[in-house]
Amino acid sequence: MRINDCFARPITGVPGRFINVLDRTSDDFNQTFKFSGTSTETLNMSSYNYLGFAQSEGPCADAVEETTRRYGLSSASSRMDAGTLDLHSDVENLVANFVGKPAAMVFSMGYGTNAAAFSTLAGKGCLVISDELNHASIRFGVRISGAVIGMYRHNDMRDLERLLREQISQGQPRTHRPWKKILVVVEGLYSMEGTMCNLPALIGLKKQYKFNLFVDEAHSIGALGPNGRGVCDYFGVDTAEVDILMGTLTKSFGANGGYIAAEKHIIDKLRYSHAGSIFGEAPAPPVITQISTSLRLIAGEVVIGQGEERLRRLAFNSRYLRIGLKRLGFIIYGQDDSPIIPLLLYNPAKMPAFSHEMLRRKIAVVVVGYPATPLVSSRARFCVSAAHTKDDLDRLLAACDEIGDILQLKFSSGLAGGAIPLAPGVTPEMEKERKQRGTLVTMPPRWPLEEVLKRGVKDVQAPLR
């Protein structure tokens, strides 16, 4: 209760590069809050606005305004009744073509997409194997499906193979009959870890053990790969190798809702069995237009070059911030190209301190603790956007450097960000020879902030030393 002021902070306006946080105070240790009537403009490192499409002006906003005038705000029905517009059919074709699948279906809520999908995809006599760090929507959906659930250690392909061999050899409980279906469920990009699934290894196991593969691309679609088409694009894997691709339309597209893309017979079954299609409201026309316009921008069909530029900026920003934080001495989880950058705080008591210090410097960040993470693995999570500039990231690095010293958060040597460059005229061979002679002067492993800012742009584009 005492750290409630760090969570659910009300905002106003567009969640773009900057965000306006409504100021509030509490007289009862954060049980209740009073609004002061003012707001503070802060640098937004919290929102899932990966490609910067959360805007109130530009091609997307113009198209949304035109659609609102023509179609209104709602189709006032579910998809199964009278809620399917030409806009829905158009965006489903766009999504299917974008992710490289024959068919796709869109839903009005990302969480609900997963929560109701598994009852259609699996049931009694089926086995669903889930990564231990999969999202709550997957865990909930699998539980209500009636299938037997198996779990393996995060991204541990050996543990997954062990579980597959065991379950295939033993079959169903009691009867030991073969499983009707085995479905392995993973996320493309894990939202609390910043790690990607090992898709090439999963495809190798899939060919060997003949299971079905479901990939949740909630955070990876639009944010990963040279063309922004997710983990398959990033790893150069044919999307035909993955049976079902799911994603949300909230993060990279500045809208809301979710989609599932697969073979046509799977999508046809979902249309008549998925609770979100039967009972849920159809996605609103302005939202559908936001999705279709952003998809066309990424694909280069409208405003040619803008989509590619956003993808490049996001890739640079992700690598630049991550390497900078590592060099300053912070422990950072995840892959270098991930736009989700978790900074480990460990001690839960440091969550409110870090959040307050950042807000004091007018930077809005998310802090995450138990039960979303293990009790002693509390963290701050930065979400990088193509809307951020290098100056924004330099400002964040300077704030982290200062707060890291105050709160004693620099647990790493800094070597994860690469060794400090050799002095002019010194070659790697000369350095090796000096090491052997014992005459090499060892530099402190952590980089000073000035060096981080000075060399970051160049080092992002080259292998680390």
Side-chain angles (χ1 to χ4, degrees), residues 290-427:
Q290 171 72 24
I291 296 164
S292 62
T293 309
S294 57
L295 276 169
R296 288 188 169 100
L297 280 164
I298 297 168
E301 294 178 16
V302 294
V303 194
I304 296 170
Q306 187 182 124
E308 183 181 357
E309 182 190 348
R310 288 174 187 259
L311 291 167
R312 286 178 180 274
R313 281 208 311 264
L314 178 62
F316 170 82
N317 289 349
S318 302
R319 295 181 73 88
Y320 180 80
L321 180 58
R322 186 179 293 273
I323 195 175
L325 291 169
K326 286 180 178 178
R327 287 176 169 178
L328 290 174
F330 296 100
I331 293 180
I332 305 297
Y333 277 0
Q335 266 99 340
D336 288 344
D337 291 309
S338 165
I340 297 170
I341 303 178
L343 185 154
L344 272 290
L345 307 175
Y346 292 106
N347 188 338
K350 292 187 178 181
M351 284 196 303
F354 187 87
S355 179
H356 294 155
E357 289 291 337
M358 278 292 182
L359 191 58
R360 197 169 289 128
R361 290 163 176 78
K362 296 187 177 180
I363 301 175
V365 301
V366 168
V367 288
V368 187
Y370 183 82
T373 69
L375 186 62
V376 291
S377 294
S378 301
R379 64 200 64 177
R381 185 184 63 178
F382 304 127
C383 292
V384 179
S385 170
H388 291 133
T389 65
K390 180 181 177 296
D391 288 342
D392 296 335
L393 303 181
D394 288 347
R395 176 182 164 191
L396 177 63
L397 286 169
C400 286
D401 185 50
E402 201 174 317
I403 296 169
D405 290 331
I406 295 170
L407 301 181
Q408 299 180 351
L409 297 173
K410 297 180 179 180
F411 305 117
S412 170
S413 66
L415 287 176
I420 290 177
L422 294 171
V426 179
T427 64

Side-chain angles (χ1 to χ4, degrees), residues 33-48:
F33 295 96
K34 297 176 182 176
F35 291 100
S36 65
T38 61
S39 64
T40 301
E41 186 181 71
T42 59
L43 177 63
N44 182 14
M45 300 303 301
S46 311
S47 302
Y48 301 131

Side-chain angles (χ1 to χ4, degrees), residues 77-81 83 107-108 274-283:
S77 181
S78 69
R79 293 290 303 276
M80 281 291 287
D81 294 332
F107 304 88
S108 57
H274 194 289
S277 173
I278 301 168
F279 305 110
E281 75 284 357

Side-chain angles (χ1 to χ4, degrees), residues 110-141:
Y111 183 97
T113 303
N114 272 340
F118 292 97
S119 299
T120 301
L121 301 172
K124 189 176 179 181
C126 298
L127 171 67
V128 178
I129 298 178
S130 172
D131 187 291
E132 67 177 350
L133 296 184
N134 276 345
H135 191 263
S137 61
I138 294 173
R139 300 163 81 98
F140 178 82

Side-chain angles (χ1 to χ4, degrees), residues 184-211:
V184 175
V185 185
V186 298
E187 291 188 39
L189 178 61
Y190 291 84
S191 61
M192 291 298 165
E193 309 298 312
T195 52
M196 301 176 204
C197 68
N198 189 348
L199 190 59
L202 284 163
I203 298 300
L205 288 175
K206 180 177 182 290
K207 290 177 179 177
Q208 184 176 354
Y209 294 100
K210 312 301 180 188
F211 56 80

